[in-house]
Amino acid sequence: MDLRRLRTFVTVAEQGTVSKAALHLRTAQPALSRQILDLEEELGVRLFDRVRRRLVLTSEGEQLLGDCRTVLGAVSSLGDRAQHLRRGDSGILRVAATPQTIEGVFATFLSRHAERRPNVQIKLSEAVGANLLGMLERGEIDLAIALVGLLREVKGDYRTIESFDLAPIAFLAAYPASLKVGSGGTVDIGRLASYPLLLLSSSFYVRATFDAACRLAGVKPDVFMESSSPQALLALAEAGHGVAVVPSVLPTNRYRLRIARITHRRKPLRETLAVLWDKRRALPPYARDFCESLAAHMREVLPHKLTSS
C-alpha cells in the first residue's frame, strides 16, 4: 500500500478540501485527487462525499481514518527511533505551541535551554487548538505545549497521548484604569458581561473554556471583537475599547493596563498547561530534560503581580 495515498487521505480529511490539502502538502490538486481515487479503488470503499465544495468523510472513511493515522504514526516512529539511537544526546526536538506561549515562555526559555543543551536544536512551530493534536498524530512534531483540557474538547480518540504538567494558567481580564472592573485583583465572570469584551478567536482552546464558564455562570458575553492575535486584544484594551480576556502565560506588563484574575463563584478560572506527546512514538532521550527545564522556567516567569483595581 502506497503511504503517499494514506498521507493524502488523512490530510484531505483534516483540511476539508483538496485545494487546502494541496497547499499543505505542496502538491498539485489533480495528483491528490488521483491518489484519493486510487486509494478508494484499492480499499473497495468510498471515502468521501462531496457536499457544497467540501469533502465530507463517509462512515467508512471515518472508521478508516484512525487506522491510517496509526499506520503513518508507526512509520514515523520507526524513523524517529533509529535517528534517536544514532544521535544519543544530540539532535533535534520538534515542539509546537500557541503564539502566546511562544511569546510569554519560549522567548526567554530557548536561550537558557541552549546553554544547558548546546547539542540539542529546538525547532519551534506555532499552532493552536486541534491543530496541535493533529501535528502530534501526523508525527510532524515530538511535543505539543497545550492546555490539558484540549484533550476533552477535541473530538477523537487521544488515549495514546501522554502529558507532563507544567503550570496552572489563570484567565486574566486586562482593562484600562478608566474602567472599574474588579476589586482586590479579581473579577467575577458575571460582572464582565456588562463590558465590551475582546476575546481570542474560537480556534483557541482558551476561548472554549471561557465560553463554557460563561454558560455555567448564566451570562452572555458582549463580544466587541475576536482576534487570533492576543497582542491586538491588549492594544485595543489599552486604547479603551473594552476588556481583553487572555491567559496568564501572555506578558501584559508592556501595556498600560490593570490586570485582574477572572473568577467564578470565588474560584479562579484556570487550566493546566502541559507538554503532550504521542506515546506510540519514540521520544529522544533529551525530551524529559526539556520538559523538566521548561516547567522550572515557567515557575520562575509566570507568576503575575496584579495591580490593585
Side-chain angles (χ1 to χ4, degrees), residues 138-304:
R138 294 189 297 271
E140 296 174 3
I141 55 174
D142 300 304
L143 305 172
I145 313 301
L147 298 176
V148 292
L150 179 64
L151 296 173
R152 300 188 302 269
E153 179 70 18
V154 177
K155 294 181 180 179
D157 184 0
Y158 293 109
R159 287 175 293 181
T160 63
I161 301 298
E162 292 282 1
S163 65
F164 178 94
D165 289 353
L166 293 172
I169 301 300
F171 284 65
L172 305 179
Y175 56 95
S178 59
L179 296 179
K180 304 300 180 183
V181 174
S183 61
T186 65
V187 57
D188 186 83
I189 195 169
R191 187 172 180 182
L192 288 179
S194 60
Y195 296 93
L197 297 183
L198 306 163
L199 303 179
L200 288 168
S201 67
S202 57
S203 60
F204 289 79
Y205 172 67
V206 291
R207 172 63 186 279
T209 301
F210 180 76
D211 288 346
C214 287
R215 289 192 294 271
L216 284 174
V219 299
K220 184 177 181 179
D222 175 15
V223 183
F224 177 73
M225 182 184 177
E226 298 175 328
S227 175
S228 59
S229 168
Q231 296 81 7
L233 301 180
L234 293 173
L236 286 169
E238 186 179 44
H241 296 293
V243 178
V245 176
V246 295
S248 60
V249 71
L250 186 71
T252 57
N253 56 356
R254 68 189 65 174
Y255 300 90
R256 296 187 301 275
L257 291 167
R258 293 190 174 185
I259 306 297
R261 294 181 185 270
I262 300 173
T263 62
H264 175 49
R265 294 179 179 176
R266 298 184 179 181
K267 293 183 179 180
L269 183 61
R270 61 188 179 189
E271 282 271 7
T272 299
L273 192 69
V275 182
L276 308 179
W277 67 91
D278 191 333
K279 62 183 179 183
R280 295 172 299 183
R281 295 191 176 90
L283 284 178
Y286 39 80
R288 183 76 184 187
D289 174 73
F290 170 88
C291 294
E292 294 172 350
S293 297
L294 183 59
H297 181 73
M298 292 187 70
R299 287 193 296 269
E300 178 183 341
V301 303
L302 272 194
H304 279 254

Side-chain angles (χ1 to χ4, degrees), residues 73-119:
V75 172
S76 176
S77 179
L78 177 62
D80 289 345
R81 186 179 296 274
Q83 184 181 66
H84 298 156
L85 288 173
R86 291 194 304 270
R87 292 186 174 181
D89 281 343
S90 65
I92 296 173
L93 188 64
R94 302 165 299 168
V95 182
T98 62
Q100 59 263 33
T101 302
I102 291 173
E103 180 183 2
V105 179
F106 281 93
T108 52
F109 172 72
L110 290 177
S111 56
R112 292 190 181 184
H113 188 267
E115 291 178 0
R116 295 185 65 256
R117 291 280 189 175
N119 296 322

